[in-house]
C-alpha cells in the first residue's frame, strides 16, 4: 500500500544525488532491511511505514549511530543535501 510513498522518497533522494536501493518485499522484517542496507555500505535507511505516512513523513535510520528520526517527505531532498555537506 505504501509503494507510491517508497518510490516518491527514492525519487527525491535520487534527485539529491543519492544512490538508492528500494526494498519492496513486504515479508521482510525491518531488521532484514537494515542488514541489507548495511551490506550495501549504506549510511542511512529510509523506511516508509504506516505511522509515518499518516504524518507525511518517512523514518530515517542512521546505520552508524542507530539513531532514527522522522523527516517530512517534502523536506527529504533538503535533508539529503544537508547530509552530503556533512560528509
Amino acid at each position: 500500500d505504501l509503494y507510491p510513498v517508497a518510490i516518491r522518497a527514492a525519487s527525491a533522494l535520487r534527485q539529491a544525488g543519492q544512490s538508492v536501493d528500494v526494498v519492496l518485499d513486504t515479508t521482510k522484517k525491518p531488521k532484514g532491511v537494515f542488514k541489507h542496507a548495511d551490506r550495501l555500505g549504506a549510511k542511512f535507511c529510509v523506511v516508509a511505514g504506516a505511522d509515518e505516512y499518516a504524518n507525511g513523513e518517512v523514518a530515517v535510520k542512521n546505520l552508524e549511530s542507530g539513531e532514527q528520526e522522522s523527516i517530512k517527505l517534502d523536506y527529504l531532498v533538503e535533508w539529503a543535501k544537508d547530509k552530503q555537506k556533512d560528509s
Side-chain angles (χ1 to χ4, degrees):
D1 293 341
L2 297 175
Y3 175 83
V5 178
I7 297 304
R8 181 176 168 198
S11 295
L13 292 170
R14 287 180 180 130
Q15 178 184 344
Q18 299 297 314
S19 176
V20 177
D21 187 46
V22 179
V23 177
L24 297 173
D25 184 352
T26 58
T27 63
K28 273 196 172 192
K29 295 185 187 262
K31 186 176 180 179
V33 174
F34 296 137
K35 281 185 179 182
H36 175 75
D38 190 49
R39 282 192 299 270
L40 293 175
K43 293 180 183 177
F44 298 94
C45 187
V46 177
V47 178
D51 292 340
E52 292 83 7
Y53 172 68
N55 294 320
E57 300 173 337
V58 290
V60 180
K61 183 169 184 171
N62 181 320
L63 297 177
E64 293 174 358
S65 69
E67 293 178 18
Q68 185 169 315
E69 61 183 309
S70 293
I71 305 292
K72 292 281 187 192
L73 275 169
D74 294 338
Y75 179 70
L76 200 54
V77 170
E78 290 179 43
W79 176 87
K81 288 180 180 178
D82 286 346
K83 291 300 175 185
Q84 274 184 320
K85 290 177 193 174
D86 294 342
S87 298

